[in-house]
Amino acid sequence: MRRRDFISLVTGAAIAGPRAATAQSSSKVFRLGTLTPGAPLDEKSPLGSILLKEMEPHGYTLGKNLSLEARGAAGQVSRLGEIVRGMKANNVDVIVSVSYPATLACKVEKVPTVVAYGCGDPVATSLIDGLARPGGTVTGISDNSTTLSTKRLGLIKQAVPKLQRVAMLWNRDDLGMSQRYEASAGAARSLGTTVQALGVREPDDFEEAFAAMDRERPDAILMVTDSLTALNRKRVFEYATTHRLPAIYEYDFLVQDGGLMSYGGDLRESMVRVASMIDRIFRGARPGDLPFELPTLYPFVINLKTARAMGIEPPASLLALADDVIE
């Protein structure tokens, strides 16, 4: 068992306590919704299944006293508002959101919302009033993008000691991700690294981004993750591998899927804490009174199979830092 899995297991057990009996003794069926700009976060998805499993220690079982309405916009962000209105009409009690656009749509409709990940800085984007006391209808999990970006760039520099130029891919139509890019770019410049800004708005823009890197070759790639970049991740993996460009990503599922390496909040741990927040809201707490939380686990993951396909041999010092090495 990996260290972070053990910690998540212990955390999940510790927060259950007597609350489970309260939920189980109620005859009410609680209505949980999930909303993403991409594929639905349902019981068949890895993170969706973790969320539902973590709801059980609190006394909520799918098909008994818990129902799930999992919705995704399949990349059509403009449909998010319509989807939320439909979920509101279906009387969902809480929506778990992924991304800034999905969270904004929930906020507009004033539906109690718990952010799982991917919303960027919720204060800077005016989703909430403050991290300690969000106000309104939104709470959840966030992170410090400046700190994380500095760490990611430090890791990529260990893989590329002579790093001078880093290409940054992000969705420029997503305010949360644009602010995350700005934080990453600021961190890079503070380390003396030139930033090659490659903002995209739609799938066709990736070809233009690749052409820009052909014209001015970077030393590495940093991809800011949202539904657009995640849906086109295989194209980025293929380009990086073909051109032997080390790339770092924000979440470990991208490395498990073929990316080179990642550093960011542990989404499994986030789901444990999201389940706890949902329980508190089901029991009567107001989202605006629940502080936003930061991840406590930040796995660094390397895919050695991808490294070998690229002809890259990560230094032993870098491998020693990894929480997980995929071979």
Side-chain angles (χ1 to χ4, degrees):
M1 180 180 288
R2 292 180 295 181
R3 178 180 59 193
R4 62 177 178 274
D5 293 334
F6 172 76
I7 293 173
S8 294
L9 179 62
V10 173
T11 304
I15 60 181
R19 293 183 176 183
T22 302
Q24 290 169 348
S25 64
S26 172
S27 60
K28 176 178 178 178
V29 175
F30 294 87
R31 299 176 181 272
L32 177 63
T34 62
L35 180 65
T36 82
L41 195 68
D42 59 19
E43 65 271 23
K44 296 180 181 179
S45 67
L47 292 177
S49 64
I50 291 172
L51 174 62
L52 292 173
K53 182 179 179 181
E54 294 302 331
M55 292 299 296
E56 292 179 1
H58 296 284
Y60 307 98
T61 302
L62 188 64
K64 294 182 178 179
N65 62 345
L66 181 69
S67 67
L68 176 66
E69 183 172 349
R71 301 295 303 275
Q76 300 179 49
V77 176
S78 61
R79 293 190 58 237
L80 287 168
E82 173 191 347
I83 293 172
V84 174
R85 287 189 289 275
M87 298 173 78
K88 185 177 181 180
N90 291 338
N91 296 314
V92 295
D93 295 299
V94 177
I95 293 178
V96 175
S97 67
V98 173
S99 83
Y100 166 75
T103 307
L104 178 61
C106 293
K107 177 184 177 178
V108 169
E109 296 300 325
K110 299 180 179 179
V111 179
T113 304
V114 178
V115 179
Y117 66 95
C119 78
D121 183 334
V123 178
T125 56
S126 299
L127 287 172
I128 61 173
D129 298 332
L131 295 175
R133 192 173 180 83
T137 58
V138 178
T139 188
I141 310 294
S142 184
D143 56 36
N144 187 317
S145 57
T146 300
T147 301
L148 291 178
S149 297
T150 301
K151 179 70 174 180
R152 290 182 186 116
L153 288 162
L155 291 168
I156 199 75
K157 197 158 190 175
Q158 288 198 48
V160 187
K162 296 181 179 180
L163 180 71
Q164 293 184 330
R165 177 195 296 269
V166 60
M168 293 190 180
L169 275 166
W170 87 100
N171 180 354
R172 64 193 311 161
D173 277 348
D174 184 319
L175 176 60
M177 296 306 98
S178 290
Q179 291 186 344
R180 188 181 287 274
Y181 154 73
E182 291 292 347
S184 300
R189 294 185 186 105
S190 71
L191 296 173
T193 303
T194 301
V195 175
Q196 187 175 16
L198 300 173
V200 293
R201 288 192 169 98
E202 57 185 39
D204 288 347
D205 290 347
F206 283 84
E207 291 304 322
E208 184 177 336
F210 298 150
M213 286 189 279
D214 287 341
R215 291 191 297 270
E216 293 186 81
R217 180 183 170 88
D219 300 308
I221 298 172
L222 185 154
M223 189 180 88
V224 180
T225 305
D226 80 312
S227 61
L228 177 61
T229 54
L231 286 170
N232 289 275
R233 63 191 181 279
K234 293 288 189 180
R235 299 167 68 187
V236 179
F237 297 164
E238 182 179 348
Y239 182 87
T241 300
T242 300
H243 293 79
R244 301 180 65 182
L245 282 173
I248 191 163
Y249 305 89
E250 295 182 328
Y251 300 113
D252 60 1
F253 73 86
L254 294 164
V255 176
Q256 293 162 2
D257 203 26
L260 178 62
M261 57 185 180
S262 67
Y263 179 79
D266 189 322
L267 298 183
R268 300 165 190 81
E269 183 218 11
S270 293
M271 288 302 168
V272 174
R273 296 161 75 182
V274 165
S276 179
M277 290 180 173
I278 295 168
D279 171 54
R280 294 175 68 181
I281 296 171
F282 280 172
R283 290 164 51 83
R286 295 183 300 181
D289 293 335
L290 302 179
F292 252 78
E293 298 182 9
L294 297 175
T296 59
L297 301 177
Y298 297 88
F300 172 45
V301 182
I302 299 176
N303 190 324
L304 272 185
K305 291 190 293 185
T306 299
R308 289 164 182 153
M310 298 173 69
I312 294 174
E313 188 64 39
S317 58
L318 187 63
L319 292 173
L321 297 174
D323 297 283
D324 191 13
V325 176
I326 300 172
E327 300 188 70

